[in-house]
Amino acid sequence: MPLEPYSADYLSEKKIKHLSFHSYLRKINSATNKPELKSSYMPPLSEPYYRVKPDCPSGHPQWPEGICTKCQPSAITLQPQTYRMVDHVEFASPAIINSLLDFWRKSGAQRIGFLYGSYKQYTEVPLGVKAVVEAIYEPPQVDEVDGCTLNDWDNKKDVDEVARLCGLQIVGVIFTDLLDAGVGDGSVVCKRHIDSYYLASLEVAFSARLQARNPNLSKWSDTGRFGSAFVTCVLSGDEDGGIAITAFQVSDSAVEMVRADIVEPSADPTVMLVRSEDDDDDLQGRIRYIPEVFYRRINEYGASVQENAKPSFPVEYLYVTLTHGFPTESSPVFVSAGFPIENREVIGESQELRAVARKLGVSASSIEGEKGIQSVSDFHLLCFLHGMGVLNKEEESLLCNVARTHDRAEGFQLLNTSGWATLLAILQESGERPPKRPLASSLEALGNDYGSNDQLAKRFKGASLN
């Protein structure tokens, strides 16, 4: 008899810590909907909801003027989440990580970027899902030695559109937390370990907000959505002094607690604070309801006990860990590199038309069409070309298809479009021109080639124009 994907014995044998989402769904659905009972279908999934329910049918004034047992949230008991929406994070090429690390190597400041890729089946876990990362986009930000501050990302919709045309979507976020060890061998300080923390409370709150903005649509939920497949990756030092990747997802309870404004980050990265209702009093009354929050832990006697989470509780209850790695045989979507990465003016790298011209093999005197076809397979270049607005929708779709599939036939079809011809004309006007030689050096060179100036004049005199 075949085993169910949520079999505890199988998971223990394979040392799988968390159920995959689809294994969890099958487990919950088998307990909720039993065909032999011939009962009506009930959605097996339900998202946690820790806010005061609006439009209470009891007839009392709405919160904060009134509240009852029907609309107030129940007490929260935190437990480690047993499943995860994504099981593995796979980077299509090590060059994707190195490009982000280059900023830290050149500036010493931290950097943050958003992961673009796709979701695929992960065969190492029953019914598993992996996020395959193909590119990292670095939004406008202020980078410092101890962190980053994101600025307004005005062209996010444009970047998402380019990713969609390439068959990709936003799948997560990645940031660095690196400090050089100062010994001159490239090693870094190990700040995140078992005796400190792996994901700080501020980072949990940040990831929770991003997961709330990127919900996972599901027909098995009573609200039409459940959880999020958005992942968080951290580049930090390991115990050997090298740079390591760690991948996480914030739990569904954590997302709802942040959305309901029940918790807030602490100065101590290992704990999360539970807000106090006394801090919410203003002239208009209380605007936030804070339910009771508890968490369960194993005490020194090995028994499971319930503790009050106020004023703070360990941050480990709010996230799950993911595995990560690189493919055995790398086959990334984008195979070209060298175009400047966006928003790096602080280290002297900027995206300009001259950089595009060099990338596509365009100069004031020549155009290398075939080189342009090979060079467009660069996500940062595609985003820059989209921002120029020279190509129409059909031409841009063809461009992204060439960048994704590397099809030479479609590439030559792109060369024959009017929009591409216009782009090349613009680049040729702004492209780098070959340096001109000084007049003195030119005459000297001519003199060396033909002898004296008198002999040169005789040669011209003897030449006929007919």
Side-chain angles (χ1 to χ4, degrees):
M1 182 177 180
L3 292 175
E4 291 288 351
Y6 49 83
S7 171
D9 294 336
Y10 178 81
L11 297 177
S12 177
E13 177 186 351
K14 297 297 183 179
K15 297 182 180 180
I16 300 174
K17 187 177 180 181
H18 299 92
L19 286 172
S20 66
F21 167 65
H22 293 284
S23 297
Y24 173 76
L25 173 59
R26 183 174 294 187
K27 179 181 179 180
I28 296 298
N29 191 44
S30 63
T32 305
N33 298 297
K34 297 182 179 181
E36 62 272 13
L37 299 180
K38 297 182 179 180
S39 58
S40 59
Y41 169 80
M42 294 179 59
L45 299 177
S46 179
E47 284 193 309
Y49 192 85
Y50 302 148
R51 290 160 286 174
V52 178
K53 296 179 181 179
D55 303 325
C56 181
S58 299
H60 61 75
Q62 294 297 317
W63 170 261
E65 284 76 17
I67 193 172
C68 69
T69 55
K70 293 182 179 180
C71 59
Q72 73 179 20
S74 304
I76 304 170
T77 301
L78 293 174
Q79 291 182 345
Q81 187 168 284
T82 59
Y83 62 92
R84 53 193 179 189
M85 304 296 294
V86 176
D87 303 283
H88 183 76
V89 180
E90 179 180 288
F91 293 90
S93 170
I96 300 174
I97 297 296
N98 287 330
S99 64
L100 184 68
L101 289 175
D102 281 342
F103 183 90
W104 173 78
R105 295 188 181 110
K106 295 177 181 179
S107 66
Q110 309 307 325
R111 193 67 170 169
I112 188 171
F114 285 90
L115 309 175
Y116 281 87
S118 59
Y119 297 103
K120 297 182 180 179
Q121 181 183 6
Y122 183 54
T123 57
E124 301 299 322
V125 175
L127 302 182
V129 175
K130 66 179 178 180
V132 180
V133 179
E134 300 287 352
I136 299 177
Y137 188 90
E138 302 173 12
Q141 56 193 281
V142 178
D143 304 307
E144 300 177 9
V145 177
D146 59 348
C148 307
T149 302
L150 286 175
N151 295 333
D152 292 336
W153 188 3
D154 297 328
N155 66 329
K156 182 182 184 302
K157 292 183 178 179
D158 297 328
V159 178
D160 291 343
E161 175 63 16
V162 173
R164 186 190 66 81
L165 292 175
C166 295
L168 308 176
Q169 65 183 104
I170 189 168
V171 298
V173 66
I174 187 171
F175 55 87
T176 63
D177 183 19
L178 299 167
L179 180 63
D180 187 79
V183 295
D185 60 353
S187 60
V188 295
V189 176
C190 178
K191 298 192 290 184
R192 299 170 185 251
H193 49 81
I194 193 171
D195 295 324
S196 61
Y197 65 94
Y198 289 105
L199 198 63
S201 57
L202 180 62
E203 297 161 355
V204 168
F206 173 68
S207 299
R209 293 188 180 95
L210 292 177
Q211 288 185 205
R213 296 175 191 170
N214 297 273
N216 178 62
L217 302 180
S218 175
K219 66 178 182 179
W220 304 98
S221 173
D222 53 0
T223 60
R225 59 183 184 272
F226 184 83
S228 172
F230 195 90
V231 302
T232 298
C233 297
V234 184
L235 288 168
S236 188
D238 59 14
E239 296 178 354
D240 298 325
I243 299 176
I245 307 172
T246 49
F248 306 91
Q249 270 199 304
V250 174
S251 67
D252 296 337
S253 295
V255 173
E256 178 57 23
M257 292 178 76
V258 171
R259 186 190 282 121
D261 223 5
I262 296 174
V263 295
E264 61 180 345
S266 168
D268 182 357
T270 63
V271 298
M272 184 73 79
L273 298 177
V274 179
R275 290 182 178 272
S276 174
E277 290 186 351
D278 297 336
D279 299 336
D280 303 327
D281 293 341
D282 56 16
L283 298 178
Q284 298 179 353
R286 295 176 177 174
I287 58 173
R288 183 188 298 108
Y289 181 85
I290 306 297
E292 292 294 326
V293 182
F294 304 95
Y295 68 96
R296 303 197 68 86
R297 69 176 183 89
I298 305 298
N299 64 7
E300 61 272 19
Y301 303 107
S304 177
V305 296
Q306 182 170 283
E307 299 281 352
N308 194 333
K310 293 183 179 180
S312 64
F313 61 94
V315 76
E316 287 81 6
Y317 286 85
L318 300 180
Y319 64 83
V320 295
T321 57
L322 317 179
T323 58
H324 67 277
F326 299 93
T328 305
E329 297 181 0
S330 180
S331 58
V333 170
F334 304 109
V335 296
S336 181
F339 187 72
I341 297 176
E342 58 281 340
N343 303 308
R344 286 194 174 185
E345 291 80 7
V346 69
I347 60 172
E349 298 179 8
S350 60
Q351 295 180 333
E352 300 175 348
L353 289 179
R354 289 187 177 184
V356 181
R358 284 196 301 270
K359 182 74 173 177
L360 300 183
V362 178
S363 66
S365 58
S366 64
I367 297 177
E368 302 178 34
E370 189 170 346
K371 180 180 179 181
I373 296 175
Q374 299 170 353
S375 301
V376 296
S377 185
D378 187 320
F379 186 71
H380 307 284
L381 175 63
L382 295 177
C383 292
F384 184 82
L385 295 178
H386 177 85
M388 291 180 63
V390 176
L391 306 178
N392 59 35
K393 291 184 178 180
E394 291 77 13
E395 294 166 343
E396 189 170 1
S397 177
L398 180 60
L399 170 65
C400 292
N401 203 39
V402 171
R404 178 176 60 88
T405 62
H406 321 132
D407 191 325
R408 295 175 62 87
E410 290 188 337
F412 285 109
Q413 181 183 348
L414 175 66
L415 291 180
N416 295 323
T417 60
S418 59
W420 189 258
T422 303
L423 174 64
L424 295 182
I426 295 173
L427 296 179
Q428 195 167 22
E429 289 297 323
S430 60
E432 292 189 352
R433 301 177 182 274
K436 296 181 179 179
R437 290 193 295 181
L439 179 62
S441 61
S442 301
L443 293 177
E444 183 179 355
L446 289 173
N448 292 335
D449 291 339
Y450 295 101
S452 64
N453 293 338
D454 294 339
Q455 293 177 345
L456 180 62
K458 291 179 181 179
R459 286 178 180 271
F460 277 108
K461 184 178 181 181
S464 176
L465 298 179
N466 297 327

